[in-house]
Amino acid sequence: MDLQVIGKLAKEASYELAVTDSNKKNEALETIALALEANQAEIIEANKLDIQAGIESGLTDALLDRLLLDESRLGAIIGDLRSVVSLADPVGQEFDGKLLENGLKLCKRRVPVGVIGVIYEARPNVTIDIAALCLKTGNASILRGGKETIHSNLVLVKIIQDALEASGLPKTAVQYIENTDRALVGQLLKMDQYVDMIIPRGNSGLQQFCKENSTIPVIIGGIGICHLYAEKTADFDKAIAIIENAKVQRPSVCNALDTLLVDESIAPEFLEKLAEHLQPLGVTLVAEPKAKAILGDKAQAAEPGDFSREWLSLNLGVKVVQDLHEALGHIREHSSEHSDGILTNDFSIANKFINAVNSAAVYVNASTRFTDGSQFGLGAEVAVSTQKLHARGPMGLQELTTYKWVGIGDNLIRS
C-alpha cells in the first residue's frame, strides 16, 4: 500500500470538495444514508465477524461494546448522518468584517482544513461520523481503523465510496488504509505534504505516539477520566440519579463517570444511600480510606493509580473530600480535562467550580454523558478535543474549518 499515492489523491479530492456547493454535498450525504440503509444486513454480518474475532482474541467487554454494530446502533448512526445534512454549512461563512480607514474591506471567511487523517480503534461508527462531517465541510479524509474492526470498516468505506461516485464526487474524498500494519501509522504521521490535521481516537499510548512522532498538527482528546463532586448542598435523590446515569447508562465510553468526590459533611449518609442504589445495578465502588471506612464491605479498597484510570466499566472510584478546594485539587491532579461536574444547590459554589475546572466540558447538576456531538446538536463528532488550541470538546462542523482573511479594495494601494 503506497500511502504517498493515497495522500496525493486525497489532496486532489480536497481541491474539488472545497468548491463543491452545499446542495451537492448534502445530496451526497443523503445518498450515503440511503446506501447504508440498503446494505444494513451486509454491514451487520461483517460486524459479527469482527465481534467473533474480538472474543477469540480476548478483547475486553468495553472494547467489544464499542465495536458492536447492531440494527439499533446503525439506525442511530444514520440518524446522526441525516442530522449533519440538516445543519448549516459553515464553509463560506464570513465574520469579523470591518472597513479600514484606507477603504480596505476585511473579513474572515471559513474554509475547509483540507485533508484530515484519523487514526482510531474499535469504533466502526467513527468511520461514518468522520466521513459525513468531513464531506459536509469540504475536507477529504484518510481513515486508519484498528485491526479489530477491519471487516466492518471495509464494508462501510466501500458503501461510502460507491455513494460518492453515484453523487458525482471523487471516491477518493474518503479513503481507508486497509493494511493493519502499525508501521503505516508512523508513515501517515509524516505526510505533511498532503495531510493537514491528524486526529487520533484511542488510548493514551496512541495519543502520545502521535504527539511525539507527527510532523502534522495533532488534535488530542477522547480519553475521559471524568469526575462529579457532590457538594454539601446537593439534593441526595437527584444527585444519585445523575450519578447512576453518568456511570451506568453506557460505562464503556469516554464520557462515563470514573470518580465521585463527596463532601465530608454529607459523606456518611450520602455514600450509604449511594451504595444501596448502585450495587443492584452491578456497580463496584472503589474507595479511598475515608470512603472505605464509611462503606465497609460495600466497597473495595482503592489501589495506587486507581484514581488516574479511565474505568470503561461499572467500577466507580469514590473519595471523601474536605471541601471544594480539595475537590478541585483532586480533579486537577487526575482529570483528563474531558468532562467534570458538580452537584450542588449553591450557585456561588457552582460558579467557582465552573471557573476553576480546566476541562473541555463542565457541568452543574447534569450527567457527564452529555459530552457528545449529537447531544450538543452538532449532528455527530469527529472527536472530543481535550486540548486548548483550535478546538475544545466535541468537534463538529465548525471545528473542521479554518479561515482565511479576505480583503477587498477599490484599486487600493498601500501608501
Side-chain angles (χ1 to χ4, degrees), residues 72-87 123 125 129-130 133 201 249-250 254-255 338 363 368-384 393-397 399:
S72 174
R73 287 191 181 180
L74 187 57
I77 293 166
I78 295 170
D80 286 343
L81 192 158
R82 287 198 165 107
S83 293
V84 172
V85 174
S86 69
L87 294 173
R123 299 190 69 166
N125 64 294
D129 288 349
I130 291 170
L133 291 169
R201 292 188 57 164
Q249 190 209 32
R250 195 175 176 194
C254 61
N255 56 21
H338 188 294
Y363 295 97
T368 57
R369 286 283 289 117
F370 284 104
T371 309
D372 173 85
S374 178
Q375 292 293 314
F376 277 19
L378 305 179
E381 69 185 37
V382 173
V384 176
M395 294 178 61
L397 296 175
E399 288 73 27

Side-chain angles (χ1 to χ4, degrees), residues 58-271:
L59 286 186
T60 65
D61 289 342
L63 284 176
L64 288 172
D65 180 64
R66 290 186 175 195
L67 176 58
L68 177 65
L69 270 185
D70 56 20
E71 185 174 335
S72 174
R73 287 191 181 180
L74 187 57
I77 293 166
I78 295 170
D80 286 343
L81 192 158
R82 287 198 165 107
S83 293
V84 172
V85 174
S86 69
L87 294 173
D89 185 352
V91 175
Q93 292 177 357
E94 294 185 349
F95 58 103
D96 288 353
K98 57 185 173 181
L99 177 64
L100 303 185
E101 290 184 4
N102 60 14
L104 183 65
K105 295 179 181 179
L106 275 179
C107 71
K108 296 174 182 175
R109 180 179 294 178
R110 293 201 182 279
V111 296
V113 171
V115 178
I116 312 293
V118 185
I119 305 161
Y120 54 108
E121 296 173 334
R123 299 190 69 166
N125 64 294
V126 173
T127 303
I128 303 170
D129 288 349
I130 291 170
L133 291 169
C134 285
L135 286 168
K136 179 83 174 193
T137 50
N139 293 293
S141 55
I142 299 174
L143 311 179
R144 200 283 187 181
K147 65 180 181 180
E148 66 281 351
T149 188
I150 187 67
H151 296 95
S152 305
N153 282 338
L154 289 179
V155 169
L156 290 172
V157 171
K158 184 179 186 306
I159 291 169
I160 291 168
Q161 290 182 334
D162 289 347
L164 286 172
E165 276 196 313
S167 303
L169 292 178
K171 64 186 294 183
T172 50
V174 179
Q175 295 182 84
Y176 189 81
I177 300 174
E178 298 180 9
N179 191 324
T180 59
D181 185 348
R182 291 190 175 183
L184 294 177
V185 173
Q187 293 180 36
L188 176 63
L189 297 178
K190 304 296 185 185
M191 289 172 51
D192 51 275
Q193 181 181 358
Y194 301 116
V195 181
D196 299 286
M197 180 189 293
I198 292 288
I199 302 175
R201 292 188 57 164
N203 60 40
S204 58
L206 170 64
Q207 309 237 355
Q208 191 63 29
F209 179 81
C210 291
K211 285 172 65 176
E212 294 175 354
N213 292 278
S214 180
T215 59
I216 306 164
V218 177
I219 298 289
I220 295 299
I223 299 171
I225 301 175
C226 302
H227 300 77
L228 285 175
Y229 167 45
E231 193 264 338
K232 62 185 178 182
T233 65
D235 181 296
F236 281 21
D237 291 337
K238 293 176 181 177
I240 288 171
I242 291 171
I243 293 164
E244 176 192 333
N245 178 262
K247 178 74 265 181
V248 176
Q249 190 209 32
R250 195 175 176 194
S252 66
V253 292
C254 61
N255 56 21
L257 180 63
D258 295 288
T259 299
L260 174 68
L261 306 172
V262 182
D263 190 284
E264 66 179 5
S265 65
I266 63 170
E269 182 182 356
F270 186 86
L271 287 177

